[in-house]
């Protein structure tokens, strides 16, 4: 029972803490559409399953024990965040009518952005690996471990779906219509800062 409570508590705290996932769902929900935001949320939840899978296979333990391997993961995630952020920093001021134009991402692209943002997110790597190496006992049944993993994925989907619904409201989109380029640049700046922070921490450990 203590293991279950710990998994639930740590997962919920990790999910709602701000980060790259939140930034991408916010951006796609406000600037594109509710559908794009929800698909980004779905992609994020699928990305979580990548971390769960390698943790259950034991690769997560290897990552946690190898500074080189973990730094490689962090550098890949940092590069992706910086690339996304630079694209947003280059946002230009548009006519308000253009903000509510047809979505600029296909369903597949929105799903892929969410998936890659999470699958390459070292924060999620740390969170899932820590759970499977420090909280979940090796003696825990495989089906139970799988259940924990599915809960982590579902928690991400539920939370970010709520974010997508809230930030794609008429009020939010009206605010975006007036300040889109400033908001997008702000989100881009956050992503670049996250990426540079990850890269810097990796260099310090190497």
């Amino acid at each position: 029972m203590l293991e279950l409570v710990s998994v639930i508590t740590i997962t919920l705290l990790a999910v709602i803490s701000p980060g790259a996932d939140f930034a991408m769902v916010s951006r796609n929900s406000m600037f594109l559409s509710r559908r794009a935001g929800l698909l980004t949320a779905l992609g994020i939840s699928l990305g979580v399953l990548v971390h769960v899978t390698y943790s259950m296979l034991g690769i997560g333990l290897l990552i946690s024990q190898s500074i080189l391997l973990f730094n490689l993961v962090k550098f890949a995630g940092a590069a992706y965040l910086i690339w996304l952020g630079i694209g947003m920093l280059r946002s230009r001021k548009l006519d308000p009518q253009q903000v509510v134009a047809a979505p600029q991402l296909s369903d597949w692209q929105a799903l892929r952005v969410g998936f890659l943002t999470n699958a390459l997110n070292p924060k999620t790597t740390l969170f899932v690996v820590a759970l499977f190496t420090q909280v979940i006992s090796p003696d825990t049944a495989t089906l139970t471990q799988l259940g924990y993993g599915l809960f982590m994925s579902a928690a991400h989907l539920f939370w970010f779906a709520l974010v997508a619904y809230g930030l794609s409201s008429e009020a939010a989109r009206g605010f975006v219509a007036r300040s889109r380029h400033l908001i997008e640049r702000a989100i881009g700046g956050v992503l670049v800062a996250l990426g540079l922070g990850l890269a810097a921490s990796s260099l310090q450990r190497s």
Side-chain angles (χ1 to χ4, degrees):
M1 179 61 71
L2 178 60
E3 181 180 271
L4 174 61
V5 172
S6 298
V7 169
I8 292 175
T9 302
I10 295 172
T11 297
L12 294 179
L13 291 175
V15 169
I16 64 176
S17 62
D21 293 341
F22 185 87
M24 289 311 302
V25 173
S26 300
R27 187 261 182 187
N28 290 347
S29 299
M30 290 190 294
F31 300 155
L32 303 179
S33 66
R34 177 169 293 172
R35 181 182 181 87
L38 291 173
L39 285 168
T40 303
L42 177 58
I44 288 170
S45 71
L46 295 175
V48 172
L49 294 179
V50 172
H51 302 286
V52 170
T53 299
Y54 65 63
S55 294
M56 290 185 65
L57 291 174
I59 300 175
L61 179 60
L62 175 62
I63 292 175
S64 68
Q65 297 299 319
S66 171
I67 294 178
L68 175 61
L69 185 55
F70 184 60
N71 281 342
L72 288 176
V73 173
K74 290 180 72 175
F75 275 124
Y80 183 67
L81 293 180
I82 293 171
W83 177 72
L84 287 175
I86 290 175
M88 294 182 193
L89 285 172
R90 296 173 64 185
S91 173
R92 298 179 180 179
K93 187 173 183 179
L94 300 174
D95 185 275
Q97 296 301 318
Q98 293 178 279
V99 175
V100 294
Q104 301 171 22
L105 292 180
S106 67
D107 288 352
W108 165 247
Q109 288 173 324
L111 184 71
R112 184 181 63 187
V113 165
F115 176 80
L116 290 176
T117 299
N118 187 273
L120 295 174
N121 190 347
K123 172 190 168 185
T124 311
T125 299
L126 279 173
F127 151 60
V128 177
V129 169
L131 279 181
F132 275 91
T133 58
Q134 305 297 324
V135 178
I136 301 173
S137 170
D139 298 327
T140 300
T142 301
L143 284 179
T144 302
Q145 293 187 39
L146 180 59
Y148 289 153
L150 292 175
F151 169 75
M152 295 174 206
S153 177
H156 280 76
L157 177 59
F158 180 75
W159 169 249
F160 288 115
L162 287 179
V163 172
Y165 265 93
L167 295 182
S168 59
S169 65
E170 289 300 321
R173 290 177 69 80
F175 176 68
V176 168
R178 299 186 296 271
S179 311
R180 170 175 177 159
H181 68 295
L182 295 177
I183 299 171
E184 188 150 19
R185 287 177 182 175
I187 294 175
V190 169
L191 291 177
V192 170
L194 287 172
L196 291 175
L198 287 171
S201 65
S202 298
L203 289 173
Q204 290 174 356
R205 291 189 178 187
S206 58

